[in-house]
Amino acid sequence: MKVLVIGSGAREHALCRSLSLDPAVTALHCAPGNAGIADAAELHPVDALDGAAVAGLARELGADLVVVGPEAPLVVGVADAVRDAGIPCFGPSKEAARLEGSKAFAKDVMAGAGVPTARSYVCTTAAEVDEALDAFGAPYVVKDDGLAAGKGVVVTDDVEQAREHARACGRVVIEEFLDGPEVSLFAVTDGETVVPLRPAQDFKRALDGDEGPNTGGMGAYSPLPWADPKLVDEVQETVLQPTVDELRRRGTPFSGLLYAGLAITARGVRVIEFNARFGDPETQVVLARLQTPLAGVLLAAANGTLADLPPLRWSDDAAVTVVIASHNYPDTPRTGDPIVGLDAVAAHDAPTAYVLHAGTKRDGDAVVSAGGRVLSVTATGADLTQARERAYTAVARISLDGSQHRTDIAEKAAREQ
């Protein structure tokens, strides 16, 4: 099987790494990729938002499967262009990707499907915003209706900050605050059959102790020793399958990766948000534990044959990923700084710890930073304690001037296991 992955982040590096280990994959390509993905796949320049260009590249390569990683290409219909060219594609249609592209649309789907979620208002005027903020009270939860690369949500006790974010966004969803721990659960679906993966937890705040601004994610771990063993089955029954069924009923079947961001509240599981693609950095730890070869699973979703697959096989090992971010992230990051120590991790820590690249590029013989989140250092171990130790040992080998990372990824969960 020849596979083309679209994207350039650590999520795509994790996908390429898993696909490169799949014996069924005879050729692996990525567009546009990054400096680390180049070690696993052949890179090609492409505008990931240009459906015709992506479909043209897939045809030229003779791809048997295209995997669209990021949300932005999905929301503009790149998967449709690939399918229209007669090539199987893992990723939802433009219409179905509205589940992530519009918070208001997602709320409407959840209402139709009877999926438990936070009470909310869709607001377009200052008066509507004030009314919604008054109705719910602090903490205030204000979400940009559209895509915002994981940074469109503000949770604050400061009503002025909430209003300011709402003004900056235009159309917003304001909802009640959901207390309790958060869980990310992915599911692969072909529009009918839904196959959940293993749950993970990510860390959105920039600083230790969940302090600082919201980010795209500073780390993640799996499994969740504190979670109810029946959680996945419950979410499958009350969230994932009803949502897929509702979208199919509406004539916009969802095929690809359905990501449910969940809050485990005192009143039960509630959906915080849906995404239409693998999450970053949770993908890094979930795929580290998946033993079933990945390509066949993604192709079955693209071809509508998921029901024919045997159950997925999983490692009992734990996985932890720690994000190394650029100076000043999540504000405008500094780029172009050399990254030192990647060879040392490969020499001393592989295969139980490895580096997945996000914002990197080649500059001559050097690898330099090229984005906000630069690397995802990922490790596995017999339990979370061992996986954490291995991840942070590898992090310590890497030098990037001005970089930052959290030191408490999975710390609390490791104590509780």
Side-chain angles (χ1 to χ4, degrees):
M1 193 189 308
K2 294 179 182 175
V3 183
L4 169 62
V5 176
I6 302 300
S8 61
R11 162 187 47 225
E12 287 75 36
H13 195 175
L15 288 164
C16 285
R17 179 181 182 274
S18 290
L19 290 165
S20 72
L21 299 173
D22 186 337
V25 176
T26 53
L28 182 59
H29 303 270
C30 185
N34 62 39
I37 294 174
D39 293 333
E42 184 180 343
L43 302 190
H44 305 270
V46 78
D47 178 355
L49 300 177
D50 185 337
V54 171
L57 176 62
R59 260 197 314 265
E60 181 186 323
L61 296 173
D64 302 299
L65 174 67
V66 175
V67 180
V68 182
E71 60 273 28
L74 293 168
V75 168
V76 300
V78 167
D80 302 89
V82 173
R83 277 190 283 268
D84 288 346
I87 300 166
C89 185
F90 183 82
S93 67
K94 178 179 178 177
E95 282 298 306
R98 289 178 65 207
L99 201 62
E100 177 168 6
S102 168
K103 304 291 189 297
F105 176 75
K107 287 289 187 184
D108 188 58
V109 170
M110 284 187 265
V115 167
T117 186
R119 292 178 299 123
S120 64
Y121 295 102
V122 179
C123 306
T124 56
T125 68
E128 289 173 346
V129 166
D130 286 343
E131 189 179 335
L133 294 174
D134 288 345
F136 289 131
Y140 304 103
V141 181
V142 184
K143 298 182 174 181
D144 190 337
D145 181 51
L147 292 183
K151 291 175 281 200
V153 180
V154 162
V155 180
T156 180
D157 290 319
D158 183 341
V159 70
E160 275 310 314
Q161 187 184 359
R163 285 195 187 106
E164 184 182 338
H165 183 63
R167 281 196 300 269
C169 295
R171 179 175 156 105
V172 294
V173 173
I174 295 175
E175 62 184 39
E176 67 175 325
F177 176 74
L178 296 175
D179 61 341
E182 295 185 10
V183 174
S184 299
L185 184 61
F186 302 160
V188 175
T189 178
D190 57 10
E192 292 192 26
T193 301
V194 178
V195 179
L197 307 186
R198 288 289 188 258
Q201 186 175 59
D202 77 333
F203 295 76
K204 288 291 188 194
R205 299 285 183 171
L207 307 175
D208 284 4
D210 292 327
E211 299 288 333
N214 237 16
T215 72
M218 295 299 291
Y221 70 94
S222 179
L224 313 182
W226 48 267
D228 187 330
K230 297 176 187 160
L231 175 66
V232 173
D233 290 341
E234 179 189 344
V235 175
Q236 165 89 337
E237 186 178 325
T238 63
V239 174
L240 299 171
Q241 192 71 55
T243 299
V244 169
D245 291 345
E246 173 68 11
L247 284 164
R248 190 175 67 253
R249 185 188 70 76
R250 291 174 177 227
T252 55
F254 187 105
S255 166
L257 195 289
L258 178 59
Y259 166 135
L262 310 165
I264 314 301
T265 76
R267 292 174 294 143
V269 174
R270 297 290 184 272
V271 174
I272 301 169
E273 65 174 354
F274 283 125
N275 290 335
R277 39 71 194 182
F278 280 101
D280 184 343
E282 300 98 320
T283 301
Q284 289 85 303
V285 292
V286 173
L287 291 186
R289 301 184 60 219
L290 178 65
Q291 291 183 324
T292 300
L294 182 61
V297 178
L298 303 186
L299 184 62
N303 285 339
T305 57
L306 264 183
D308 300 336
L309 288 189
L312 299 181
R313 293 180 291 107
W314 295 92
S315 167
D316 291 331
D317 281 357
V320 172
T321 194
V322 180
V323 170
I324 297 177
S326 292
H327 175 73
N328 205 39
Y329 178 77
D331 292 328
T332 306
R334 192 174 77 204
T335 59
D337 290 311
I339 302 165
V340 178
L342 298 173
D343 291 343
V345 174
H348 297 287
D349 304 308
T352 54
Y354 48 89
V355 180
L356 298 169
H357 291 231
T360 68
K361 67 177 184 181
R362 280 260 169 214
D363 184 4
D365 292 335
V367 175
V368 301
S369 60
R373 292 185 295 171
V374 181
L375 304 169
S376 286
V377 180
T378 305
T380 56
D383 55 22
L384 287 173
T385 299
Q386 187 178 50
R388 284 190 84 245
E389 288 170 356
R390 288 172 171 173
Y392 280 108
T393 295
V395 167
R397 298 190 200 278
I398 295 170
S399 172
L400 171 63
D401 188 43
S403 67
Q404 54 181 312
H405 66 271
R406 283 184 58 159
T407 65
D408 63 348
I409 303 300
E411 183 176 43
K412 183 168 178 279
R415 285 200 304 267
E416 293 174 356
Q417 68 190 355

